[in-house]
Amino acid sequence: MKNYNPFVLMFYFLAVVIISAFSENPVLQISALLGGILFCAIVTKSSETAGNIGFYVPMFFIIAVTNPLFSHNGATPLFFLNGNPVTLEAFVYGGAIAVMAIGVMLWCKCYSEIMTTDKFLYIFGKTVPKLSLVLSMALKFIPMYKQQTRRVSRAQKAMGLYSSKSVTDKIRSHARVFMAMVSWSLENSIETSSSMKARGYGLKGRTNFALFKFGADDLILLAVIVILLGVTVFGIITGETRFYYYPRISTLKFSAAYIAFGFFSLLPFIIEAKEAIKWRYYVSKI
Amino acid sequence: MEILRVENLTFYYPNAENPAVDGITLSVNSGEFIVVCGESGCGKTTLLKLMKKELSPVGKKSGSIYYNGILQENLDLKTSASEIGYVMQNPDSQTVTDKVWHELAFGLENLGVPSDIIRRKVGDMASYFGIQNWFRKNTSELSGGQKQLLNLASVMVMQPKILILDEPTSRLDPIASSDFTATLQKLNRELGLTIILVEHNLEEVFALADKVLLMDKGKALFFDRPENIADIKTEHPLLLGLPSAVRIYNALDIKDDCPLTVREGKDFLERHFKPKDEILPEYVHSETISVELKNVWFRYEKDLPDILRGTSLKVYSGEFYCILGGNGAGKTTALNVISGLDKAYRGKVLINGRQIKEYKGNSLYRHLLAFLPQDPQTVFIKDSVKGDLTEILEAMEIPKRIREEKISAIAEKTGIVHLLSKHPYDLSGGEQQKCALAKILLSEPKILLLDEPTKGLDACYKQVLKEILSKLKQEGITIITVTHDLEFAAENADRCALFFDGEILSADIPEKFFSENSFYTTHANRMARGLWKYAVTVGQVVMKAKEN
């Protein structure tokens, strides 16, 4: 999945997150959650799985329970708590919010795994070229700055300057190092700018190069995304997927949007699984 | 064919009385490899920058520079940017972007080359330089040598006709630096690229050069083929930077061709002298131990491999002890452990017989131990050298009236009196090194730890540093140095030790240490070992030859 063109990926992520966050339909939300879980399982390391379950499952219940405790809307009271009714509708709605929230969180997690900074910069660079160069320079500068700060503070420590454990000494030592780092940064940027000038920065007609291409694979994926998304959005606009919880939970009607969105949110899993199977097959042939 | 001509070029910086470049005339043919050398501040960098239009400093310029017969002022901007490549000293600051591939593409982007062609040219260059394995890495993850290679490649991708390099290897360790030099030689041989290189360490590049330009106070002292260098018979400090073979030849006054490489030097010595057996000098040292490591283990993080694996060493009081060894072997880590910056998780570190953890607060760094890090710039915090010196005296709670006295005494000793009012960042590498040394000496240490003190220094500054260190040694200060510079170790150390695989292997006097190693030894010893086994420095070889 991560080898597709960043624009296609960005479009896909935005579509999934927006639909699952703003449609109030449980089928759409549950399929987004399922897709998110499966995608996450592939993208994250297996050593993190236990930690993730330990975080997201309690999170789910906390969100689900919070709603019925504070919202007393709904027509079917189950029991009374401190004189307030706790309703079935609020319970179900709480569950739906939790499904939506966890789904969105998982998709965001996948987003951060797949959309690395260089992909983000590429999308940025295509739209605002100057800014993308500035960002790229900043990303180069930050680790260098950190390393130099460490070197300076160690050198200062080895001279025994303000290295005692008292709070005032600590603050003073940080302030001193920071001041030195300001002059260091200025000095450094002068050299960087000569190096840029020497390589012709500032000439007219600068182009923007990126490693990413838009190939046939990207076109196919984009077509699939557009078709599935079209069917889903059609269902949402025509009201086929309209669903409400208050005052009473409405009933679900069948819609083609459910099938389309089901496939849509499972797309990354299908792609990854297909590749994994293919890989196995090739390995077995070797 | 002539590619670059400099005619009677003189240049004054604003408000300067003396010219930085004084009436230089020279002509460079296409495909030549020119090495420029001279003392720091002799105007080499200024001359190089004047050759590259975009980097010309502000000031008063007379004379003219022609590139391919076109006057520099009339040169098209695009041609100038792409055809004259310039590589600077600092590997970090001349990198512009965060990704290796983006850095390679940067120049071509500026020239407005379309994406497909950039892709091809970048691929071409990355394969030539062997960058493909780290092509998608962040530039911050690269080693110094890789960074400098990337800087070279990202200039080469613009297909320059001339490559100008200003001390590109001075911040690199010897192995990375000889790789870099080999790459330059390859570019020159295989692509016929014209190269103008400023370099301090002439041992390797001297024999590669078609012509050598020797500069002194802005003037060209010598511009000719390297083997004719012996024609200048002056006692100039510059000559200390020449390759060992040339220095031996110069000192001996024998009618023969001037040797440039180790092989030629060996032939030369064996033609004129006879072998002689020698007795190794006795080593006398004090019985008190200043620094002792007993079976010390260290690693940076729990999951990382051990850097020190049962290191033990003993340094006697008043001794000059050199730790040599490959890159990333852990020499600097050993020094960090001695200085108390890193803590060993097993084993004992004894300073003057007491365990290092018994020194509470700053007591280790007061009148006892001082550490000069590899990058002297990290020592400075204030905006003048004097401010930095005063600061350490304040921290030592020295009364105000004695401070001036102490500062002038130390400035006198290290030769930095004229630098006191300057900003530390305006100083050259050698001057920074001296000022940093002055600062740490103010804590009046008994033990001095130096990490690569000769890195990036020219021969004159090495000489100065040598004199300062021998003064300190006479005062009874124990000096422990980590260095890659074998010549420096051979000339100064009482004992040398090899650091390998997390341990200190053998510590011995330089004569024995170097004569027993076949690769890890000085150039002078490689030439003379067949004749006089224990001659390891140029001075010793010359002395033996004169006795002969």
Side-chain angles (χ1 to χ4, degrees):
Chain A
M1 190 74 187
K2 60 171 180 282
N3 295 330
Y4 284 96
N5 187 288
F7 274 109
V8 178
L9 293 176
M10 190 72 165
F11 179 61
Y12 177 74
F13 276 114
L14 281 177
V16 175
V17 170
I18 290 174
I19 289 181
S20 70
F22 293 104
S23 87
E24 292 212 322
N25 185 298
V27 178
L28 297 183
Q29 287 172 340
I30 288 172
S31 47
L33 176 66
L34 273 177
I37 292 172
L38 290 172
F39 193 12
C40 248
I42 291 170
V43 171
T44 54
K45 290 186 207 103
S46 52
S47 59
E48 289 172 19
T49 313
N52 283 337
I53 293 174
F55 176 75
Y56 287 107
V57 172
M59 192 74 175
F60 180 89
F61 285 107
I62 291 170
I63 300 173
V65 167
T66 316
N67 187 57
L69 288 183
F70 293 99
S71 160
H72 307 294
N73 295 338
T76 333
L78 293 174
F79 55 89
F80 286 83
L81 199 71
N82 293 338
N84 286 318
V86 175
T87 64
L88 175 71
E89 287 77 10
F91 250 117
V92 175
Y93 189 57
I97 294 174
V99 168
M100 184 273 284
I102 301 293
V104 170
M105 279 160 87
L106 289 175
W107 279 100
C108 288
K109 196 175 163 64
C110 296
Y111 170 89
S112 67
E113 292 284 335
I114 297 280
M115 297 293 280
T116 44
T117 38
D118 49 332
K119 287 185 189 155
F120 182 71
L121 280 180
Y122 165 74
I123 292 175
F124 237 67
K126 283 281 174 184
T127 30
V128 199
K130 274 263 165 60
L131 200 59
S132 100
L133 181 65
V134 172
L135 277 176
S136 167
M137 288 172 70
L139 285 174
K140 172 242 159 186
F141 183 73
I142 293 163
M144 216 166 91
Y145 180 89
K146 274 191 187 159
Q147 198 183 21
Q148 184 72 6
T149 310
R150 195 178 116 88
R151 283 196 198 134
V152 173
S153 39
R154 273 166 76 96
Q156 300 301 317
K157 198 184 152 213
M159 284 189 291
L161 288 172
Y162 308 107
S163 58
S164 78
K165 294 239 162 66
S166 81
V167 180
T168 43
D169 259 19
K170 266 195 178 159
I171 293 172
R172 275 172 83 179
S173 115
H174 281 300
R176 298 166 67 244
V177 172
F178 179 73
M179 292 309 287
M181 288 307 294
V182 171
S183 7
W184 175 86
S185 307
L186 287 174
E187 187 77 14
N188 201 66
S189 63
I190 292 169
E191 269 186 54
T192 309
S193 76
S194 339
S195 154
M196 290 169 74
K197 254 198 291 181
R199 284 191 272 159
Y201 184 72
L203 291 175
K204 282 220 173 78
R206 194 182 136 81
T207 48
N208 250 290
F209 174 69
L211 287 178
F212 305 103
K213 281 186 277 196
F214 193 89
D217 279 3
D218 299 305
L219 197 65
I220 295 170
L221 181 64
L222 187 64
V224 172
I225 290 175
V226 168
I227 292 167
L228 292 176
L229 190 66
V231 176
T232 313
V233 170
F234 181 77
I236 293 172
I237 292 174
T238 53
E240 277 178 12
T241 64
R242 234 173 85 82
F243 194 84
Y244 43 87
Y245 296 89
Y246 298 121
R248 269 176 211 286
I249 301 169
S250 61
T251 46
L252 278 171
K253 278 174 288 176
F254 173 78
S255 160
Y258 297 146
I259 297 168
F261 192 72
F263 274 114
F264 190 70
S265 49
L266 288 174
L267 258 183
F269 179 72
I270 294 169
I271 292 170
E272 295 283 340
K274 195 188 90 196
E275 274 168 17
I277 292 167
K278 249 193 196 167
W279 179 244
R280 280 262 171 93
Y281 175 68
Y282 285 136
V283 170
S284 72
K285 276 208 346 194
I286 300 165
Chain B
M1 195 193 90
E2 187 181 68
I3 190 163
L4 187 80
R5 190 163 83 245
V6 176
E7 266 176 15
N8 202 17
L9 185 70
T10 302
F11 181 83
Y12 289 84
Y13 278 103
N15 305 325
E17 273 177 36
N18 299 319
V21 171
D22 193 356
I24 286 198
T25 298
L26 54 89
S27 147
V28 178
N29 284 331
S30 175
E32 274 185 324
F33 194 132
I34 310 273
V35 169
V36 184
C37 53
E39 226 175 319
S40 307
C42 71
K44 311 180 291 263
T45 300
T46 313
L47 176 66
L48 256 55
K49 285 198 167 159
L50 287 168
M51 289 177 182
K52 172 88 179 164
K53 191 177 175 182
E54 290 85 350
L55 301 180
S56 286
V58 181
K60 207 175 80 192
K61 186 180 123 182
S62 64
S64 40
I65 298 169
Y66 295 89
Y67 168 73
N68 262 345
I70 307 165
L71 193 68
Q72 194 187 56
E73 282 76 9
N74 303 333
L75 199 60
D76 170 47
L77 285 173
K78 234 172 196 170
T79 317
S80 162
S82 67
E83 296 194 359
I84 305 177
Y86 198 97
V87 177
M88 291 180 274
Q89 190 175 18
N90 190 332
D92 286 311
S93 60
Q94 57 180 317
T95 317
V96 178
T97 64
D98 64 330
K99 294 278 177 191
V100 170
W101 60 264
H102 197 180
E103 190 65 25
L104 284 169
F106 180 74
L108 296 173
E109 287 182 330
N110 292 337
L111 297 178
V113 178
S115 269
D116 310 347
I117 300 175
I118 295 187
R119 192 180 297 273
R120 201 181 64 218
K121 285 190 172 179
V122 162
D124 177 37
M125 226 6 96
S127 333
Y128 186 79
F129 281 90
I131 291 178
Q132 64 272 47
N133 295 330
W134 34 282
F135 185 64
R136 284 170 186 265
K137 269 199 177 175
N138 289 331
T139 48
S140 58
E141 294 165 35
L142 306 180
S143 72
Q146 285 177 325
K147 267 184 206 155
Q148 203 61 312
L149 203 63
L150 172 63
N151 291 325
L152 176 62
S154 44
V155 166
M156 284 310 298
V157 82
M158 299 166 80
Q159 296 173 336
K161 303 278 189 307
I162 302 187
L163 188 61
I164 301 172
L165 305 106
D166 189 6
E167 297 181 31
T169 62
S170 69
R171 309 248 175 135
L172 307 183
D173 63 76
I175 292 151
S177 123
S178 70
D179 283 350
F180 191 86
T181 313
T183 310
L184 289 182
Q185 188 189 4
K186 197 172 144 193
L187 289 173
N188 181 247
R189 292 262 166 93
E190 291 178 5
L191 309 179
L193 182 70
T194 314
I195 293 178
I196 301 175
L197 169 73
V198 166
E199 182 62 71
H200 283 322
N201 185 4
L202 298 174
E203 204 73 64
E204 263 183 73
V205 294
F206 204 74
L208 301 179
D210 291 305
K211 276 182 183 167
V212 173
L213 171 67
L214 209 61
M215 282 182 73
D216 187 35
K217 299 195 180 84
K219 286 199 173 71
L221 211 61
F222 173 88
F223 182 56
D224 205 347
R225 304 193 58 75
E227 49 273 28
N228 299 337
I229 191 88
D231 296 347
I232 37 167
K233 289 276 180 202
T234 44
E235 281 292 315
H236 199 277
L238 267 180
L239 301 180
L240 285 172
L242 295 175
S244 307
V246 180
R247 282 161 62 201
I248 293 172
Y249 173 84
N250 276 351
L252 288 178
D253 203 21
I254 290 173
K255 287 236 170 335
D256 200 341
D257 288 338
C258 177
L260 296 180
T261 59
V262 168
R263 198 181 76 184
E264 289 167 15
K266 192 164 181 274
D267 274 353
F268 168 81
L269 286 176
E270 283 168 3
R271 257 201 313 277
H272 296 279
F273 301 100
K274 284 189 185 63
K276 195 176 156 195
D277 278 342
E278 281 184 283
I279 320 141
L280 206 59
E282 189 92 11
Y283 179 54
V284 201
H285 59 81
S286 134
E287 282 308 313
T288 21
I289 297 170
S290 268
V291 175
E292 185 170 12
L293 298 186
K294 276 187 188 166
N295 192 27
V296 166
W297 291 71
F298 177 81
R299 63 175 86 133
Y300 280 101
E301 270 163 46
K302 206 170 157 244
D303 318 330
L304 292 179
D306 287 307
I307 310 275
L308 304 183
R309 306 160 59 83
T311 311
S312 299
L313 98 170
K314 262 184 206 164
V315 181
Y316 300 103
S317 171
E319 196 175 35
F320 193 131
Y321 191 93
C322 261
I323 303 174
L324 303 156
N327 217 28
K331 307 186 299 289
T332 300
T333 313
L335 215 54
N336 286 342
V337 167
I338 299 174
S339 70
L341 281 174
D342 288 327
K343 309 250 177 312
Y345 72 89
R346 200 188 297 161
K348 278 183 187 167
V349 181
L350 301 162
I351 308 287
N352 271 354
R354 276 173 72 195
Q355 281 229 42
I356 197 161
K357 32 184 164 172
E358 289 171 32
Y359 293 94
K360 298 288 176 222
N362 285 335
S363 60
L364 185 63
Y365 307 115
R366 297 281 174 263
H367 309 285
L368 183 56
L369 186 138
F371 178 44
L372 183 63
Q374 206 173 101
D375 178 4
Q377 219 176 46
T378 56
V379 168
F380 305 109
I381 289 280
K382 300 281 172 179
D383 48 16
S384 75
V385 175
K386 195 167 181 182
D388 262 298
L389 298 183
T390 316
E391 178 187 44
I392 202 154
L393 291 175
E394 270 171 32
M396 304 244 315
E397 289 161 9
I398 304 251
K400 265 201 176 124
R401 55 201 161 75
I402 322 178
R403 280 184 202 165
E404 281 293 321
E405 217 174 283
K406 290 230 174 204
I407 288 177
S408 43
I410 202 79
E412 199 72 46
K413 199 195 233 169
T414 49
I416 58 161
V417 180
H418 59 294
L419 304 174
L420 283 179
S421 57
K422 287 201 173 175
H423 193 290
Y425 286 21
D426 291 339
L427 307 176
S428 74
E431 290 170 336
Q432 275 183 357
Q433 188 76 276
K434 284 198 290 184
C435 294
L437 192 59
K439 183 171 179 184
I440 66 162
L441 283 176
L442 280 176
S443 70
E444 297 171 353
K446 306 276 182 306
I447 300 164
L448 187 59
L449 308 177
L450 307 169
D451 190 2
E452 299 283 359
T454 58
K455 199 173 190 177
L457 295 193
D458 64 20
C460 313
Y461 269 110
K462 270 190 208 173
Q463 193 60 27
V464 172
L465 183 69
K466 192 178 153 185
E467 281 158 19
I468 297 173
L469 293 181
S470 72
K471 257 189 256 173
L472 296 175
K473 204 170 112 58
Q474 274 163 22
E475 291 169 19
I477 295 181
T478 311
I479 303 171
I480 304 178
T481 307
V482 157
T483 185
H484 279 301
D485 190 336
L486 304 178
E487 265 72 24
F488 179 79
E491 281 174 25
N492 299 289
D494 291 318
R495 281 198 300 159
C496 296
L498 183 67
F499 197 96
F500 179 74
D501 193 29
E503 273 182 282
I504 286 184
L505 292 185
S506 54
D508 230 315
I509 55 169
E511 286 82 359
K512 193 157 187 293
F513 180 85
F514 287 114
S515 64
E516 283 177 1
N517 295 343
S518 31
F519 299 105
Y520 228 78
T521 183
T522 59
H523 288 88
N525 184 250
R526 286 182 201 177
M527 283 177 242
R529 63 186 351 188
L531 300 172
W532 314 293
K533 197 175 167 204
Y534 296 127
V536 292
T537 67
V538 169
Q540 285 168 337
V541 171
V542 170
M543 206 175 73
K544 292 287 171 203
K546 282 188 174 159
E547 276 172 21
N548 204 296

